[in-house]
Amino acid sequence: MKKTADTWSINEAKNIYGISRWGNGYFDIGDSGDIHVIPRHDQPNLKINLAEVVEDIASAGIQFPAVVRFHDILRSQVELLNTTFRQTIAEANYQGQYFGVFPVKVNQMREVIEEIVDAGSSFNYGLEAGSKPELIAALAYNTNKDSLTILNGYKDEEYLRLALLGLKIERNIIIVIEKFSELTTLIALSKELGIKPVIGIRVKMMVKGRGKWEHSSGERAKFGLSMTEILNAISLLKAEDLIDCVKLLHFHIGSQLTDIRAIKEAVQEASLIYCQLIKQAVPLEYVDVGGGLAVDYDGSQSTNDSSCNYNLAEYVADIVYGFGQNCQLAGVPQPHLVSESGRAITAHHSCVITKVIGEIRPGNTDYATEPAQGEHIIVTNIRALADELAAPNKGTNLQEIFNDVEQLKSQAMQAFNLGILSLDELAKVETLYWRILNHIETQLQQSDYIPEELNAISALLSSQYLANFSVFQSAADSWAIDQVLPVMPISRLNEKPTKLCSLVDITCDSDGKIDKFIGDDEVAAHLPLHSLNENQDYFISIFLTGAYQDVMGDMHNLFGRVNEVHIFSDDDDPKDFYIEEVVKGSSIENVLSTMQYTPAIMAQMVKKEIDKQIAAGNLKPREGVNLIDFYDNCLLSYTYLN
Ligand SMILES: *Cc1c(COP(=O)(O)O)cnc(C)c1O
């Protein structure tokens, strides 16, 4: 983050935060230094200033942290996926059609599902469910009769009955067999109810996915039938006269596939299996390529775990042309194509906005360090280094001073532990140590070249910014799987950021932090941020949280769900947007109730104790009433800091 001159431009801000690389065209920085959201690629003049969104949220009395959802981005992504498939299919003269489905598990929020179903209606875009609760939701919300409802996940008899209920209300339900025993249960049920199901078969693929989820395929995968099981399933279905029910071949080799080669290999393998099965008179009509379409969270266009080395157009082309060519070669009909992209549809549409409420700075430098009679030589020596730095001469070598001060500090610690150094002397050493590091850093900022080892100084001097949120609730994958999510301030981007920071949250957990950021060429431990100004709020946003992060959060420290604000764009509005809905986050009462507490009884318990104090004369009755009112009000309040 070194800059020789003090000039700063918006372009540099764009560069260090990588906003155009991960933003997919939806985010930019305006001349005012605020982040702009451009929710529709076909309306580049429709720009929403994120700082104005934050102002509106605050003036509506909604507290932060808050999830902000841009419904138009959700719609844009649904349209983009569907039109890309349609265009590629047309270009390739492919005979089948595209019937995408959105996997509900990626973001189950009702408003999200409603928006996706609505945006996808003209494309016959459907839903995918992987559990009974998701199926229940899909049955109610996937109302388009021409779209598919794909059922994955392990299924018990009740799940299968629900699926057959769906067929009765004319839903295009395809039951994907993940495990052989599901087939026998399904056959029995279909006989009992006299309903012919539509069956899909999930194949356990040999090809390995790439990235964090690569164990979703291969022989040891949790889901899917091996080739032997598939052949046995076919014999069984032929014997039961149900082979005409088998319509779909399914595979899913993992989420966030970082390398396009995994996709090419999977398409190759699956298309050969498809052609073979067609030749064995299995009347397949669809091939479902599952999820895996990755999001370039760090903007590096690489095979990093949080990135990918391909774009949507390449992904779609590999699928359409791959199946097209292999089917043509084998002389079999080209199947309809289904995909289950979740991450790529929802990641961009939401972000978590939180306020930085404090700074934890290493090293205090205001302790008096004047020489004292008979002080220890370590103290004298370290002071001499500080003096030299304050008035440097030709021979002053920063690297040497750094090495010496590091050594003196560790000697001081040892001496203190042996009882040789007093607490006062140790405090002086510490103070001088930090003063020296700060000095070295200032001087380095003026030089053109920084020796490798001195890079450590910025890290040593970096601050922790305390932000009002919980990583476990709002950015679970950052904690769980080291996912890099873009984080940046929403304003002041026309100002040079002068601090290197990591972020800590308000949970009492030392894991409650974000220290993986987008770096120059690799993941960086620190993020450049601005120094905090008194009387000016400093908001930062965690972006691309719309897939999984929104719904996987946990209750660590009983910080519950955060407030949610739904933003719709509107060209006629002076600010180009309006807040359509606010979904209140958890109150303290809510989170306690989910842990089996009864807030009303708790209030009584506390009141009893207060009454005792009043009876004993330790509290005035009026004070007691105020205290119990306060406790009651707190129960109703937001779990995060005010
Ligand atoms: C999780 C999952 C998906 C969604 O994957 P993304 O990588 O988010 O697109 C799709 N299909 C199946 C079977 C899944 O388990």
Side-chain angles (χ1 to χ4, degrees):
M1 221 235 349
K2 194 180 70 68
K3 281 281 306 144
T4 39
D6 258 348
T7 57
W8 179 257
S9 70
I10 302 272
N11 272 337
E12 280 170 277
K14 286 186 190 177
N15 207 19
I16 61 169
Y17 297 111
I19 191 166
S20 353
R21 296 193 296 274
W22 54 258
N24 232 17
Y26 295 121
F27 304 96
D28 198 5
I29 302 176
D31 293 336
S32 58
D34 299 327
I35 289 186
H36 285 175
V37 181
I38 304 112
R40 301 218 40 115
H41 293 156
D42 54 1
Q43 282 171 266
N45 290 327
L46 189 67
K47 285 195 178 125
I48 300 174
N49 184 330
L50 198 52
E52 286 181 351
V53 172
V54 165
E55 271 167 32
D56 276 19
I57 292 174
S59 54
I62 300 150
Q63 287 174 275
F64 293 91
V67 166
V68 178
R69 289 190 194 290
F70 292 96
H71 281 246
D72 301 84
I73 294 184
L74 210 46
R75 298 190 80 87
S76 294
Q77 285 296 92
V78 170
E79 289 163 16
L80 196 61
L81 177 73
N82 281 285
T83 50
T84 307
F85 263 104
R86 287 191 170 194
Q87 281 164 6
T88 312
I89 280 174
E91 251 167 52
N93 258 326
Y94 188 87
Q95 295 150 14
Q97 294 171 40
Y98 176 64
F99 290 94
V101 288
F102 174 73
V104 172
K105 77 158 190 256
V106 180
N107 197 321
Q108 303 100 337
M109 290 291 301
R110 174 178 55 80
E111 290 87 347
V112 171
I113 297 295
E114 281 177 344
E115 197 67 62
I116 288 174
V117 168
D118 187 58
S121 61
S122 61
F123 303 104
N124 296 329
Y125 189 63
L127 292 178
E128 182 265 5
S131 67
K132 262 186 281 188
E134 289 178 5
L135 168 53
I136 298 237
L139 282 174
Y141 283 89
N142 190 16
T143 45
N144 178 356
K145 295 216 180 341
D146 297 319
S147 71
L148 298 178
T149 301
I150 303 270
L151 305 186
N152 293 321
Y154 289 132
K155 301 165 194 74
D156 60 7
E157 196 193 297
E158 194 175 50
Y159 187 131
L160 294 171
R161 273 182 197 274
L162 267 173
L164 297 177
L165 178 158
L167 285 173
K168 289 215 163 170
I169 55 172
E170 295 189 312
R171 297 294 159 77
N172 288 317
I173 291 201
I174 303 185
I175 302 168
V176 178
I177 301 297
E178 305 261 16
K179 197 162 157 282
F180 198 89
S181 60
E182 290 171 4
L183 191 59
T184 40
T185 318
L186 181 61
I187 292 173
L189 260 185
S190 106
K191 280 186 187 156
E192 177 198 320
L193 302 173
I195 304 177
K196 278 202 157 189
V198 183
I199 298 176
I201 292 178
R202 174 157 176 182
V203 51
K204 203 174 266 193
M205 301 273 282
M206 300 306 252
V207 54
K208 267 239 169 295
R210 305 285 198 287
K212 286 270 176 198
W213 285 270
E214 65 184 33
H215 302 296
S216 308
S217 68
E219 277 162 28
R220 302 273 306 153
K222 193 165 117 181
F223 292 110
L225 306 191
S226 66
M227 286 318 300
T228 334
E229 285 174 316
I230 290 182
L231 294 179
N232 287 338
I234 287 165
S235 311
L236 177 63
L237 286 161
K238 282 184 176 161
E240 297 283 351
D241 204 20
L242 286 171
I243 194 69
D244 55 332
C245 298
V246 183
K247 298 284 185 213
L248 177 141
L249 184 72
H250 180 279
F251 69 89
H252 170 73
I253 62 166
S255 195
Q256 184 70 9
L257 296 169
T258 57
D259 192 342
I260 187 82
R261 274 175 294 185
I263 293 150
K264 290 178 193 286
E265 287 164 20
V267 166
Q268 176 70 10
E269 184 178 334
S271 56
L272 293 182
I273 297 171
Y274 165 80
C275 293
Q276 290 271 330
L277 291 177
I278 291 285
K279 288 185 174 166
Q280 297 203 18
V282 184
L284 293 170
E285 290 172 15
Y286 302 86
V287 172
D288 181 342
V289 302
L293 174 56
V295 168
D296 192 0
Y297 292 96
D298 71 12
S300 66
Q301 296 179 17
S302 72
T303 55
N304 287 352
D305 283 344
S306 302
S307 183
C308 55
N309 63 1
Y310 59 93
N311 61 24
L312 175 65
E314 290 169 75
Y315 173 82
V316 172
D318 277 348
I319 292 169
V320 173
Y321 284 94
F323 278 98
Q325 282 162 8
N326 280 333
C327 292
Q328 213 163 21
L329 281 174
V332 302
Q334 292 164 337
H336 295 311
L337 295 171
V338 180
S339 78
E340 303 173 345
S341 295
R343 188 186 293 279
I345 293 289
T346 58
H348 299 82
H349 92 282
S350 84
C351 58
V352 178
I353 297 183
T354 169
K355 196 154 84 177
V356 175
I357 51 173
E359 174 177 8
I360 305 164
R361 226 180 317 190
N364 181 350
T365 52
D366 20 283
Y367 188 75
T369 58
E370 278 70 46
Q373 276 274 308
E375 74 179 2
H376 196 280
I377 182 79
I378 295 179
V379 187
T380 317
N381 285 348
I382 202 165
R383 187 183 302 103
L385 288 178
D387 292 344
E388 182 180 346
L389 260 186
N393 56 50
K394 261 202 183 140
T396 303
N397 179 328
L398 295 179
Q399 170 102 50
E400 205 172 299
I401 293 187
F402 178 58
N403 294 342
D404 289 352
V405 76
E406 283 289 318
Q407 195 190 12
L408 284 167
K409 180 164 169 257
S410 91
Q411 283 173 354
M413 288 311 299
Q414 286 167 11
F416 178 75
N417 284 334
L418 293 170
I420 300 169
L421 211 66
S422 72
L423 192 55
D424 172 65
E425 288 172 322
L426 185 65
K428 285 180 177 170
V429 169
E430 263 186 15
T431 306
L432 289 162
Y433 170 82
W434 289 112
R435 203 173 287 165
I436 290 170
L437 290 198
N438 276 309
H439 244 124
I440 297 180
E441 190 180 48
T442 318
Q443 302 205 3
L444 285 177
Q445 278 172 355
Q446 282 141 30
S447 65
D448 319 318
Y449 171 72
I450 302 185
E452 186 67 28
E453 280 183 35
L454 292 185
N455 275 322
I457 290 187
S458 319
L460 284 170
L461 287 172
S462 69
S463 283
Q464 288 173 309
Y465 270 16
L466 177 62
N468 189 11
F469 79 116
S470 156
V471 166
F472 307 95
Q473 176 62 239
S474 296
D477 281 343
S478 162
W479 163 69
I481 57 165
D482 289 338
Q483 164 94 60
V484 177
L485 293 167
V487 181
M488 63 184 287
I490 63 163
S491 346
R492 289 176 66 185
L493 293 157
N494 48 357
E495 222 180 284
K496 179 178 169 180
T498 51
K499 299 221 157 200
L500 274 186
C501 307
S502 61
L503 285 183
V504 290
D505 72 6
I506 56 169
T507 64
C508 306
D509 190 319
S510 44
D511 269 357
K513 62 178 179 193
I514 298 184
D515 58 3
K516 291 189 183 57
F517 303 101
I518 296 172
D520 276 348
D521 19 57
E522 51 194 31
V523 177
H526 301 99
L527 179 70
L529 290 175
H530 303 89
S531 51
L532 302 178
N533 293 337
E534 253 175 77
N535 308 324
Q536 187 185 25
D537 288 334
Y538 192 63
F539 285 99
I540 54 171
S541 176
I542 308 170
F543 288 95
L544 311 191
T545 56
Y548 303 102
Q549 312 314 300
D550 266 353
V551 291
M552 283 196 324
D554 68 31
M555 297 273 283
H556 199 10
N557 261 156
L558 296 188
F559 291 115
R561 290 195 63 83
V562 305
N563 286 331
E564 253 194 57
V565 180
H566 294 251
I567 305 290
F568 280 66
S569 66
D570 178 7
D571 227 353
D572 295 334
D573 184 281
K575 294 180 179 172
D576 279 359
F577 75 91
Y578 63 99
I579 296 178
E580 188 260 356
E581 188 191 4
V582 175
V583 183
K584 287 287 260 179
S586 312
S587 66
I588 292 177
E589 188 176 61
N590 295 152
V591 295
L592 288 171
S593 303
T594 61
M595 294 290 157
Q596 294 283 72
Y597 294 94
T598 311
I601 292 180
M602 294 161 75
Q604 275 170 25
M605 287 156 75
V606 171
K607 182 169 186 302
K608 221 183 249 171
E609 295 303 312
I610 289 173
D611 286 346
K612 264 194 223 161
Q613 296 296 329
I614 294 172
N618 297 333
L619 270 181
K620 296 209 179 75
R622 183 180 294 273
E623 282 173 334
V625 171
N626 285 343
L627 284 178
I628 190 68
D629 280 352
F630 176 60
Y631 185 90
D632 278 342
N633 282 335
C634 286
L635 276 173
L636 300 177
S637 69
Y638 200 22
T639 52
Y640 294 86
L641 301 183
N642 278 335

